[in-house]
Amino acid sequence: MKKIRVGYVSFGTMFYEPANLKMISARAEKQLTDAGLELVKTDPVFGEGTEPERAIRELKLQEWDFLFINIINWIDTRGVFRVLHEFRNEPMILYSLGGFTDHEGRFGEKGTLISPAAGAGSTSLRFPMEQWGIKFKYLFNAPDSPMDIEGILSFAKAAAAMKGLRHARLGMIGYNDMGLYSTGINPTKLRDLIGPEVESMDMLQLQRKMDAIPEEEIRAEAKRVSKDWEYPLGKPGEEVIQKAVRMYMGTVALCKEKKFDTFSYKCVDGVDLEMGLTHAVPSSLVADAGYPYVDENDLGNSVAQLILKWISGKQVTFIEHYEHHPEWMLLGEDGYCPSDFIEGKPQIKDVSTVLLKGIAHCSNMKKGRMTLACLSETKEGYRMHIVTGEGKERPRWVEMGVPLPSWPSVTFYPDVPVRQVLDHVQSQHFAAVYGTYVNELVDLCKLLEIEVVLDARI
């Protein structure tokens, strides 16, 4: 996972010795670097003379993901706001650093709680920062206690994802598969409010990329990716496997050329209908190549997957509703499964029909805690539906017209009643990742002014 870079500046009063300010700030700096953050530092700032201008110059020398405003004692607010005003369009943490007990008697009688009064300084800033529209989170720690590293890291991941979204590119073949109203997003609005660009390409462009790949490269890659595959219904012909691999390689070539961060096929009305093969295995391999994939031109969940990838540092997937029970939901996908979601060896079955020949996953999905997120456009902006729960063993089931074994799937037990989830559901798809990342998602949504619907346990 890419290291998060933090612009770091601490603020104190000119009536304290600079050495003491550096000593207090150094305690915080060590905790932040020990937590894995990379600091772009400037010395503690005091007063409203030349110090704020010095800090501004030094903080502008390098790039960073967010600004950490560490209030280490009471302050001259005008000097602080000179720095904050300069960076007012960047995400920030406003931090109130707790005091400490003087065990050595350096500042008076031993055993005395020394309060530099950071609480006074930080509370004098919070409301004006809100009035200015600065995107920030206000955190603190108790005296003699570690810093709120969990809260800091949650915001740090959200801020880094926010920065990344400004430069993200979403690629797809076609647009508006099956005329679905739950998957389309206004690209102008998306670019304005969240950041990513969208580019739709034609099947002809994909076909040309596929045709340009030499046969020997196709055979070598097919051998590599299929070395652990098992075939419960018998091995399909090599030409079927190689055709799926050719599509995956052509797609990855497009993603590299166009610098896409995610990808989607127009599958039912597009690839599957017109190109003579199922998209399931090619799209799984595209995801394994580092490009989160979602079916049916689902732009909202393309963004949701990218967010989950960046805040978790893990491989992500999309997942679809099949059945609902008062206590659980059957969630899966028709032949798609990235490698990190597979339990055991990949299981591949032939799903050929009179119209096409193809292969699909029937692999068993891993179990465990999951975070699901769905991003949708609203009249005002965007809404994210966040759900947490436990993925457990799938039942023995099939989608009508398809032979066993079952599609990759889990019996998902949400942390709230299924009825509550369905009252808030926004799409047939969720973006999904293993683990719990609710705080990070909420922090990011606050930064981007995305409405949040929580059906989750934090």
Side-chain angles (χ1 to χ4, degrees):
M1 188 174 178
K2 181 183 174 183
K3 206 162 193 179
I4 298 172
R5 306 190 82 214
V6 183
Y8 176 88
V9 56
S10 56
F11 290 92
T13 174
M14 71 287 283
F15 300 116
Y16 280 18
E17 289 290 334
N20 287 337
L21 296 180
K22 285 188 176 183
M23 178 270 293
I24 297 170
S25 184
R27 292 190 293 115
E29 293 168 27
K30 183 177 186 307
Q31 292 179 71
L32 295 174
T33 54
D34 286 350
L37 298 173
E38 182 179 342
L39 303 188
V40 176
K41 297 188 297 184
T42 183
D43 284 340
V45 174
F46 51 89
E48 57 171 317
T50 61
E51 286 289 292
E53 283 71 25
R54 169 190 60 79
I56 290 169
R57 287 195 308 271
E58 293 176 357
L59 288 168
K60 284 184 174 181
L61 291 175
Q62 299 183 59
E63 292 186 356
W64 31 264
D65 294 304
F66 72 96
L67 189 61
F68 194 103
I69 306 296
N70 194 8
I71 307 304
I72 58 178
N73 67 338
W74 61 284
I75 52 171
D76 183 298
T77 58
R78 288 168 295 196
V80 178
F81 272 120
R82 286 181 188 172
V83 178
L84 268 58
H85 190 271
E86 187 69 27
F87 299 108
R88 62 191 179 278
N89 294 321
E90 302 298 333
M92 301 182 189
I93 284 180
L94 170 62
Y95 200 87
S96 181
L97 191 67
F100 58 95
T101 300
D102 181 10
H103 296 291
E104 299 175 358
R106 289 181 59 191
F107 302 94
E109 189 173 340
K110 289 183 179 181
T112 301
L113 172 63
I114 305 301
S115 175
S122 59
T123 51
S124 73
L125 300 174
R126 197 210 69 80
F127 191 59
M129 289 175 70
E130 179 183 304
Q131 295 297 294
W132 279 9
I134 294 174
K135 308 297 185 186
F136 72 100
K137 189 171 187 177
Y138 181 26
L139 298 172
F140 73 99
N141 64 276
D144 295 321
S145 299
M147 296 176 74
D148 182 5
I149 295 300
E150 182 178 347
I152 293 167
L153 289 180
S154 172
F155 183 88
K157 293 172 186 175
M162 178 186 178
K163 284 290 186 76
L165 288 168
R166 294 176 182 175
H167 308 287
R169 283 177 48 75
L170 315 179
M172 60 183 177
I173 297 294
Y175 178 73
N176 194 221
D177 193 16
M178 299 184 288
L180 288 162
Y181 289 101
S182 58
T183 56
I185 276 182
N186 181 330
T188 306
K189 188 174 180 179
L190 181 68
R191 187 81 168 108
D192 178 38
L193 299 182
I194 297 182
E197 293 179 333
V198 178
E199 184 171 350
S200 174
M201 309 189 74
D202 298 325
M203 285 187 288
L204 177 60
Q205 293 170 279
L206 174 60
Q207 187 66 61
R208 285 177 172 169
K209 286 293 183 187
M210 292 167 61
D211 293 343
I213 305 170
E215 290 292 338
E216 59 271 20
E217 291 184 21
I218 298 293
R219 288 193 293 269
E221 185 66 359
K223 183 178 180 181
R224 184 189 72 83
V225 299
S226 66
K227 66 181 185 299
D228 294 326
W229 290 0
E230 294 180 348
Y231 308 95
L233 301 182
K235 186 175 180 180
E238 287 296 333
E239 71 282 0
V240 176
I241 296 173
Q242 289 177 17
K243 191 170 185 179
V245 169
R246 184 179 290 276
M247 176 171 282
Y248 131 69
M249 293 180 73
T251 303
V252 170
L254 281 178
C255 290
K256 288 180 178 178
E257 178 184 303
K258 294 289 186 175
K259 295 182 170 56
F260 291 145
D261 293 287
T262 68
F263 201 77
S264 180
Y265 293 131
K266 182 172 187 173
C267 30
V268 178
D269 284 350
V271 169
D272 289 8
L273 184 63
E274 303 293 344
M275 298 187 71
L277 78 165
T278 58
H279 68 283
V281 169
S283 58
S284 302
L285 294 171
V286 168
D288 285 347
Y291 303 96
Y293 171 86
V294 62
D295 274 353
E296 299 159 358
N297 306 129
D298 188 347
L299 288 171
N301 282 310
S302 212
V303 177
Q305 282 195 89
L306 194 56
I307 290 169
L308 286 178
K309 176 185 175 180
W310 284 342
I311 66 173
S312 71
K314 298 176 181 177
Q315 190 176 53
V316 295
T317 190
F318 82 100
I319 204 163
E320 190 164 11
H321 295 251
Y322 277 91
E323 296 289 338
H324 301 124
H325 177 277
E327 297 177 357
W328 52 261
M329 301 185 289
L330 178 59
L331 302 179
E333 190 44 46
D334 57 350
Y336 167 84
C337 198
S339 59
D340 284 1
F341 286 77
I342 296 173
E343 184 175 275
K345 289 189 175 182
Q347 304 293 307
I348 304 295
K349 66 180 179 181
D350 193 333
V351 290
S352 298
T353 71
V354 294
L355 294 177
L356 55 85
K357 285 190 175 182
I359 50 176
H361 273 280
C362 51
S363 303
N364 202 5
M365 281 186 66
K366 289 179 181 176
K367 319 305 181 294
R369 292 289 301 170
M370 301 180 78
T371 299
L372 313 181
C374 179
L375 182 70
S376 299
E377 186 177 312
T378 66
K379 292 179 180 179
E380 294 77 23
Y382 293 92
R383 178 187 298 154
M384 180 171 281
H385 183 201
I386 303 169
V387 182
T388 57
E390 192 80 17
K392 298 187 178 182
E393 185 62 53
R394 62 184 173 180
R396 188 170 184 264
W397 73 282
V398 294
E399 187 170 355
M400 185 178 291
V402 180
L404 284 166
S406 306
W407 292 138
S409 51
V410 290
T411 306
F412 181 76
Y413 289 80
D415 293 328
V416 300
V418 169
R419 177 69 269 165
Q420 182 174 321
V421 175
L422 296 183
D423 284 342
H424 298 143
V425 75
Q426 298 171 180
S427 168
Q428 70 276 23
H429 297 151
F430 276 117
V433 69
Y434 290 114
T436 301
Y437 296 95
V438 178
N439 290 328
E440 293 89 341
L441 288 174
V442 170
D443 282 343
L444 179 59
C445 288
K446 287 180 179 177
L447 287 173
L448 293 170
E449 297 183 356
I450 295 171
E451 179 188 355
V452 174
V453 177
L454 269 181
D455 289 324
R457 189 172 72 212
I458 300 176

